[in-house]
Amino acid sequence: MSYIDGFVAAVPTDNKQQYLEHAQKAAAIFKEFGALKVVETWGDEVPDGEVTSFPMAVKAKSDERVVFSWIIWPSKQVRDDAWQKVMADSRMQPENNPMPFDGKRLIYGGFDLLLES
Protein backbone atom coordinates (compact mmCIF):
# COMPACT_ATOMS: atom_id res chain seq x y z
CA MET A 1 0.00 0.00 0.00
CA SER A 2 1.29 3.48 -0.86
CA TYR A 3 2.57 5.85 1.79
CA ILE A 4 2.33 9.64 1.62
CA ASP A 5 4.50 12.37 3.11
CA GLY A 6 2.71 15.72 3.30
CA PHE A 7 4.12 19.21 3.80
CA VAL A 8 2.76 22.72 4.32
CA ALA A 9 5.05 25.76 4.50
CA ALA A 10 5.02 29.53 4.13
CA VAL A 11 7.38 30.77 1.41
CA PRO A 12 8.22 34.42 0.78
CA THR A 13 6.55 35.42 -2.48
CA ASP A 14 9.84 36.86 -3.73
CA ASN A 15 11.43 33.39 -3.27
CA LYS A 16 9.06 31.55 -5.61
CA GLN A 17 11.75 30.79 -8.21
CA GLN A 18 14.27 29.80 -5.52
CA TYR A 19 11.64 27.53 -3.97
CA LEU A 20 10.93 25.91 -7.33
CA GLU A 21 14.65 25.25 -7.88
CA HIS A 22 14.99 23.85 -4.34
CA ALA A 23 11.96 21.61 -4.89
CA GLN A 24 13.20 20.37 -8.27
CA LYS A 25 16.55 19.33 -6.78
CA ALA A 26 14.88 17.62 -3.83
CA ALA A 27 12.29 15.88 -6.03
CA ALA A 28 15.01 14.33 -8.18
CA ILE A 29 16.70 12.96 -5.07
CA PHE A 30 13.45 11.63 -3.59
CA LYS A 31 12.67 9.87 -6.87
CA GLU A 32 16.20 8.50 -7.09
CA PHE A 33 15.63 6.83 -3.73
CA GLY A 34 12.21 5.38 -4.57
CA ALA A 35 9.50 8.05 -4.53
CA LEU A 36 6.83 7.45 -7.15
CA LYS A 37 5.69 11.05 -7.42
CA VAL A 38 6.49 14.45 -5.92
CA VAL A 39 3.91 17.24 -6.12
CA GLU A 40 4.56 20.88 -5.24
CA THR A 41 1.76 23.45 -5.23
CA TRP A 42 1.83 27.23 -4.82
CA GLY A 43 -1.09 28.73 -2.91
CA ASP A 44 -3.68 30.52 -5.03
CA GLU A 45 -6.90 30.48 -3.00
CA VAL A 46 -5.82 29.80 0.58
CA PRO A 47 -8.15 31.74 2.87
CA ASP A 48 -7.43 32.80 6.41
CA GLY A 49 -9.61 31.04 8.93
CA GLU A 50 -11.25 32.12 12.14
CA VAL A 51 -10.13 29.13 14.20
CA THR A 52 -7.60 27.37 11.97
CA SER A 53 -6.33 27.44 8.39
CA PHE A 54 -3.26 26.72 6.31
CA PRO A 55 -1.97 30.31 6.69
CA MET A 56 -2.54 30.25 10.45
CA ALA A 57 -0.91 26.84 10.82
CA VAL A 58 2.36 28.00 9.25
CA LYS A 59 2.08 31.56 10.58
CA ALA A 60 2.16 32.94 7.03
CA LYS A 61 3.04 36.63 6.77
CA SER A 62 1.44 39.03 4.30
CA ASP A 63 4.41 38.69 1.92
CA GLU A 64 4.33 34.86 1.94
CA ARG A 65 2.42 32.17 0.08
CA VAL A 66 1.41 28.81 1.45
CA VAL A 67 2.82 25.80 -0.37
CA PHE A 68 1.22 22.37 -0.08
CA SER A 69 3.30 19.42 -1.18
CA TRP A 70 3.30 15.66 -1.04
CA ILE A 71 5.44 12.69 -1.94
CA ILE A 72 3.94 9.34 -2.90
CA TRP A 73 5.98 6.28 -1.96
CA PRO A 74 5.29 2.65 -2.87
CA SER A 75 5.34 1.69 0.83
CA LYS A 76 6.28 2.97 4.27
CA GLN A 77 9.36 0.74 4.24
CA VAL A 78 10.62 2.30 1.00
CA ARG A 79 9.94 5.74 2.47
CA ASP A 80 11.73 4.97 5.74
CA ASP A 81 14.78 3.62 3.92
CA ALA A 82 14.78 6.56 1.50
CA TRP A 83 14.55 9.25 4.20
CA GLN A 84 17.75 7.99 5.79
CA LYS A 85 19.50 8.17 2.41
CA VAL A 86 17.99 11.55 1.53
CA MET A 87 19.04 13.14 4.82
CA ALA A 88 22.58 11.77 4.46
CA ASP A 89 22.90 12.88 0.82
CA SER A 90 25.26 15.84 0.41
CA ARG A 91 22.97 17.30 -2.29
CA MET A 92 20.33 17.91 0.39
CA GLN A 93 22.62 19.71 2.82
CA PRO A 94 21.79 23.40 3.39
CA GLU A 95 25.00 24.58 1.72
CA ASN A 96 24.06 22.68 -1.47
CA ASN A 97 20.27 23.12 -1.47
CA PRO A 98 19.26 25.86 0.99
CA MET A 99 15.63 26.13 2.03
CA PRO A 100 14.25 29.46 0.78
CA PHE A 101 11.74 29.60 3.64
CA ASP A 102 11.62 29.32 7.43
CA GLY A 103 11.91 25.60 8.10
CA LYS A 104 10.76 26.10 11.69
CA ARG A 105 7.26 26.82 10.35
CA LEU A 106 7.17 23.76 8.09
CA ILE A 107 4.45 21.24 8.93
CA TYR A 108 5.00 17.69 7.78
CA GLY A 109 3.89 14.18 8.45
CA GLY A 110 3.61 10.67 7.07
CA PHE A 111 0.25 9.19 6.18
CA ASP A 112 -1.15 5.78 5.34
CA LEU A 113 -3.22 5.93 2.17
CA LEU A 114 -6.87 5.59 3.13
CA LEU A 115 -8.65 6.19 -0.17
CA GLU A 116 -7.56 6.78 -3.73
CA SER A 117 -10.34 7.31 -6.24
Side-chain angles (χ1 to χ4, degrees):
M1 172 87 44
S2 295
Y3 195 77
I4 312 297
D5 279 317
F7 309 87
V8 180
V11 178
T13 304
D14 290 345
N15 290 357
K16 183 178 183 179
Q17 184 60 38
Q18 292 165 298
Y19 181 81
L20 176 59
E21 291 167 7
H22 167 81
Q24 288 171 326
K25 289 177 186 177
I29 296 166
F30 286 124
K31 291 186 84 174
E32 179 181 326
F33 292 125
L36 300 174
K37 189 173 193 176
V38 178
V39 178
E40 293 283 347
T41 66
W42 186 259
D44 178 47
E45 291 184 21
V46 186
D48 289 321
E50 290 185 28
V51 177
T52 189
S53 66
F54 280 122
M56 291 170 68
V58 294
K59 298 182 180 178
K61 300 172 186 169
S62 62
D63 64 341
E64 294 178 322
R65 286 288 184 99
V66 173
V67 296
F68 177 46
S69 312
W70 61 93
I71 304 171
I72 302 173
W73 301 95
S75 68
K76 186 173 190 313
Q77 186 61 55
V78 171
R79 179 266 206 169
D80 289 348
D81 294 343
W83 268 108
Q84 290 180 1
K85 294 173 187 172
V86 167
M87 292 299 111
D89 194 299
S90 63
R91 297 170 292 174
M92 288 295 289
Q93 300 307 309
E95 60 273 8
N96 296 322
N97 193 15
M99 290 192 305
F101 59 93
D102 181 0
K104 293 177 184 164
R105 292 185 285 140
L106 171 72
I107 297 172
Y108 61 92
F111 300 84
D112 289 318
L113 184 61
L114 185 60
L115 172 69
E116 185 172 11
S117 176

